[in-house]
Amino acid sequence: SQNEQDSRFYGDFSLIPMYEPSNQQEAYDMVYNGFEFSEKIGEPVLMRIVTRLAHSRSGVETKAQKPQNEISFGSDPRQFVLLPGIARKRYKALLERQEDFVQASEESPYNTYIDGANKKLGIIACGIGFNYLMESYPEGCEYPVLKIGQYPLPKKQMLQLVEACDEILVLEDGQPFVEKQLKGYLGRGIKVKGRLDGTLSYAGELNPDTVAHALGKENKSKFRIPDIVEMRPPALCEGCGHRDVFIALTEVLRTEYPAHKVFSDIGCYTLGANAPFNAVNSCVDMGASITMAKGAADSGLYPSVAVIGDSTFTHSGITGLLDCVNENADVTIILSDNETTAMTGGQDSAGTGRLEAICTGLGVAPAHIRVV
Ligand code: SF4
């Protein structure tokens, strides 16, 4: 999740181009154009969006839908057979393309150098950081700004900014990905401000207030949170079936089995971790409920309970259950089946109506399956 990790490191590690939009329109355009760019360079393109962009809305101007490309396999039939000998050659070829990717970034409409009169500071504003910067300077920024929306970083524009300005401020959401590249390991040479020197907090999201603060300004947002609005964590909907599961589960476990632990998974039911249930001891990644419950049971925990939804189960819980069957693990697994993919919506669950059959097919003894 972009709350803690920064997927730009995956793009860097994979040596492929990346897009990072500053607003919804750019996100739309980048996806639209990204397919063509990817076809042109013959590599995947990583699209990074951050939490606040994903959790906000805006109107976008749409374009005509393009017809889907015909399937094609390229001229090299062994392109995707990544045996070590082939993978080494492909890696070398990918390294040779890096300069082309930098050049594509230099020519990209998503990377823009905007000059400013005050050269005491130069600002590199990545993705949504540019939007936040513009909130502080609705009439235009007094400092030169390099807006970044495509990686690898555009060398020419970076040099132009560094040569023109006394010091550089980097605005980026997530980790100091650009700041570290500019600064280098020893931090000598270019004067760079950002998350590493405390100008911006290392942890936490970037937002218009922190950006304004980093520039010695105050964010003069017209929209304040009304006093009547209380902060409240997300909660399971009233009437949600998962509520019944956690009410019954905690009632039994707390009174009868105080040593219990409940390993949960990714979905709406993760909210069983919050009050009033406070029923969940772990939620790590998809499928980790069953595998962690098994690990804990193997280490002597009893009762070791996993709670997983029907969609997550078919996505990545099945292999863990097979492991439990193979080793006759002493675990209790609850498949909390709401017959849909509720958290993201819009998809059917891949196991609707067949969960029992899947479990017996994996080797769970029918006597061990209870349907409530
Ligand atoms: S599964 Fe999720 S969306 Fe559906 S009722 Fe429960 S909390 Fe609400």
Side-chain angles (χ1 to χ4, degrees):
S1 139
Q2 296 299 301
N3 291 327
E4 313 94 23
Q5 290 94 21
D6 190 322
S7 49
R8 289 177 298 173
F9 288 98
Y10 294 127
D12 191 41
F13 140 93
S14 314
L15 301 167
I16 55 171
M18 291 181 274
Y19 285 145
E20 185 181 12
S22 64
N23 59 35
Q24 280 80 358
Q25 182 68 58
E26 249 185 15
Y28 179 89
D29 294 342
M30 284 173 173
V31 171
Y32 193 91
N33 298 328
F35 285 102
E36 264 173 26
F37 181 46
S38 170
E39 287 289 323
K40 189 174 141 203
I41 61 174
E43 301 292 344
V45 176
L46 191 145
M47 175 81 178
R48 181 203 191 210
I49 56 169
V50 295
T51 312
R52 219 39 51 194
L53 195 72
H55 284 232
S56 57
R57 295 176 187 203
S58 122
V60 294
E61 214 166 279
T62 58
K63 298 180 176 132
Q65 196 175 352
K66 291 183 187 171
Q68 184 166 326
N69 289 345
E70 294 286 320
I71 191 165
S72 67
F73 295 99
S75 53
D76 178 1
R78 290 166 73 78
Q79 179 181 2
F80 297 116
V81 185
L82 294 182
L83 286 164
I86 300 172
R88 275 193 286 270
K89 277 190 206 140
R90 300 274 309 153
Y91 182 61
K92 201 163 164 266
L94 185 61
L95 288 177
E96 282 161 7
R97 319 243 3 242
Q98 294 308 299
E99 280 308 310
D100 295 345
F101 298 164
V102 172
Q103 192 185 337
S105 286
E106 288 169 348
E107 291 163 6
S108 166
Y110 305 122
N111 294 331
T112 326
Y113 186 93
I114 307 156
D115 206 6
N118 188 345
K119 304 283 195 287
K120 284 210 167 89
L121 187 69
I123 302 173
I124 296 176
C126 307
I128 204 165
F130 180 73
N131 230 358
Y132 296 158
L133 177 68
M134 288 302 105
E135 284 206 30
S136 281
Y137 291 100
E139 310 299 333
C141 186
E142 63 185 286
Y143 306 111
V145 176
L146 176 55
K147 172 186 177 295
I148 297 289
Q150 183 172 330
Y151 301 83
L153 290 166
K155 221 176 249 175
K156 264 190 209 154
Q157 290 93 327
M158 297 283 284
L159 256 178
Q160 189 181 355
L161 189 78
V162 165
E163 280 171 0
C165 303
D166 297 345
E167 52 181 9
I168 304 293
L169 170 67
V170 184
L171 304 174
E172 52 191 331
D173 208 354
Q175 297 185 14
F177 175 80
V178 173
E179 195 182 341
K180 273 187 175 167
Q181 290 187 57
L182 260 185
K183 214 167 186 158
Y185 188 62
L186 296 177
R188 291 191 176 176
I190 308 166
K191 277 196 203 159
V192 187
K193 301 201 293 189
R195 289 178 182 262
L196 292 173
D197 74 337
T199 304
L200 290 151
S201 162
Y202 203 136
E205 271 182 74
L206 200 67
N207 64 47
D209 294 352
T210 54
V211 169
H213 191 254
L215 289 155
K217 292 166 82 81
E218 251 192 79
N219 182 35
K220 298 199 183 78
S221 169
K222 286 182 278 185
F223 307 105
R224 298 250 161 253
I225 299 170
D227 294 338
I228 198 167
V229 177
E230 285 287 337
M231 290 296 285
R232 57 180 188 142
L236 291 168
C237 302
E238 290 302 327
C240 173
H242 297 314
R243 283 182 173 266
D244 301 332
V245 169
F246 285 117
I247 289 168
L249 187 66
T250 44
E251 219 172 274
V252 173
L253 291 180
R254 277 189 195 144
T255 49
E256 307 282 329
Y257 302 100
H260 73 272
K261 292 279 180 260
V262 176
F263 302 90
S264 193
D265 225 294
I266 310 287
C268 285
Y269 51 91
T270 312
L271 297 171
N274 288 348
F277 315 105
N278 301 316
V280 167
N281 300 106
S282 81
C283 162
V284 178
D285 62 59
M286 279 196 141
S289 55
I290 298 179
T291 46
M292 286 181 74
K294 180 184 179 298
D298 289 350
S299 311
L301 177 76
Y302 182 82
S304 184
V305 181
V307 179
I308 184 169
D310 49 317
S311 307
T312 310
F313 175 67
T314 51
H315 184 283
S316 35
I318 289 174
T319 43
L321 179 59
L322 184 60
D323 244 7
C324 293
V325 168
N326 287 343
E327 297 190 16
N328 200 20
D330 194 0
V331 289
T332 303
I333 298 169
I334 297 174
L335 300 184
S336 193
D337 178 14
N338 60 4
E339 301 186 335
T340 187
T341 307
M343 193 168 75
T344 45
Q347 307 116 296
D348 290 331
S349 164
T352 299
R354 293 181 295 145
L355 291 177
E356 278 171 84
I358 291 171
C359 293
T360 44
L362 287 172
V364 180
H368 287 179
I369 300 177
R370 311 249 193 292
V371 181
V372 182

